[in-house]
Amino acid sequence: GLGLLPGGRRSLAACEGVSAASFCRRRLPWLLVKLRMAQNLRHAVTFVEQGHVRVGPEVVTDPALLIPRAVEDFITWVDASRLRQKVLDYNQERDDFDLAA
């Protein structure tokens, strides 16, 4: 369920090929870079530590958090994040209602 094994193989022999890099690719900052929410890993770690990212309804401040594949779609910016506001402004998607907030 974590997404460490490629192709969904479920055998003990497939677990032999799991490396430390497989676990590192499931960490939150790496997924932020993969989802193009951050330019590089250093910025992604900073965003997480400063509380700009949430996974589902929960704000995450631990960059070592392992994210399962089922939860990967729920990685977003925190609603009150200045980064989220800048992204919405850049994409010209910010709502007039949000300007009052």
Side-chain angles (χ1 to χ4, degrees):
L2 195 56
L4 298 175
L5 298 175
R9 297 181 294 173
R10 292 182 179 216
S11 68
L12 196 54
C15 293
E16 192 174 73
V18 175
S19 64
S22 299
F23 283 97
C24 291
R25 283 191 295 267
R26 298 308 308 165
R27 289 177 59 163
L28 182 58
W30 178 258
L31 291 174
L32 289 177
V33 173
K34 181 181 164 188
L35 294 172
R36 296 181 182 224
M37 292 175 71
Q39 290 180 352
N40 56 35
L41 219 49
R42 180 180 293 169
H43 288 148
V45 169
T46 304
F47 294 160
V48 173
E49 288 175 344
Q50 291 178 353
H52 291 289
V53 180
R54 67 183 169 129
V55 178
E58 185 176 328
V59 177
V60 178
T61 57
D62 181 21
L65 180 68
L66 294 174
I67 305 293
R69 288 204 182 205
V71 182
E72 190 174 333
D73 295 334
F74 300 106
I75 299 173
T76 58
W77 298 112
V78 174
D79 291 336
S81 173
R82 304 255 321 168
L83 291 171
R84 177 179 179 268
Q85 293 172 3
K86 292 289 183 183
V87 169
L88 291 176
D89 286 341
Y90 180 79
N91 294 331
Q92 297 177 352
E93 296 175 354
R94 191 165 177 188
D95 192 13
D96 292 336
F97 182 76
D98 291 337
L99 290 174

